[in-house]
Amino acid sequence: MEQDRFDDFVKTIKNDSPAEDISLYLKALWYDANADWEASHNIVQDLNDNNASWIHAYLHRKEGDSFNADYWYNKAGKSRPAGTFKEEWDNLVKYFLK
């Protein structure tokens, strides 16, 4: 079931905009998947919780700003993963689909 929800979300990446009924976290990840780092970042920078900090960390890691990413991972209570960006994106989406 979890994989079905993930697959359904991934299919929406080709749409012109994210679904209205998804969380801001998933919207941020949708924009990231659509190569709109700024839109994704704008969403999470205005949210003040561990979940947003985790996505914020991922975005800065992807950007290549390890120092800033580590700040946000720490704030989220997470460690910087050793895997690929795609693996982290997949893990984030699956987490927020629960």
Side-chain angles (χ1 to χ4, degrees), residues 43-58:
I43 291 170
V44 297
Q45 76 178 355
D46 292 334
L47 302 173
N48 294 314
D49 61 33
N50 289 351
N51 290 331
S53 294
W54 186 14
I55 297 171
H56 206 156
Y58 157 77

Side-chain angles (χ1 to χ4, degrees), residues 34-96:
N34 275 281
D36 193 342
W37 189 95
E38 285 295 324
S40 181
H41 187 259
N42 287 342
I43 291 170
V44 297
Q45 76 178 355
D46 292 334
L47 302 173
N48 294 314
D49 61 33
N50 289 351
N51 290 331
S53 294
W54 186 14
I55 297 171
H56 206 156
Y58 157 77
L59 291 171
H60 283 293
R61 175 177 171 248
K62 189 174 177 186
E63 179 190 36
D65 186 350
S66 296
F67 180 81
N68 203 2
D70 287 343
Y71 168 82
W72 289 104
Y73 281 118
N74 185 54
K75 199 165 165 119
K78 306 280 183 187
S79 297
R80 183 178 357 143
T84 67
F85 298 125
K86 178 168 180 359
E87 289 170 337
E88 186 172 11
W89 186 89
D90 289 356
N91 289 335
L92 284 160
V93 169
K94 288 174 182 175
Y95 178 82
F96 290 112

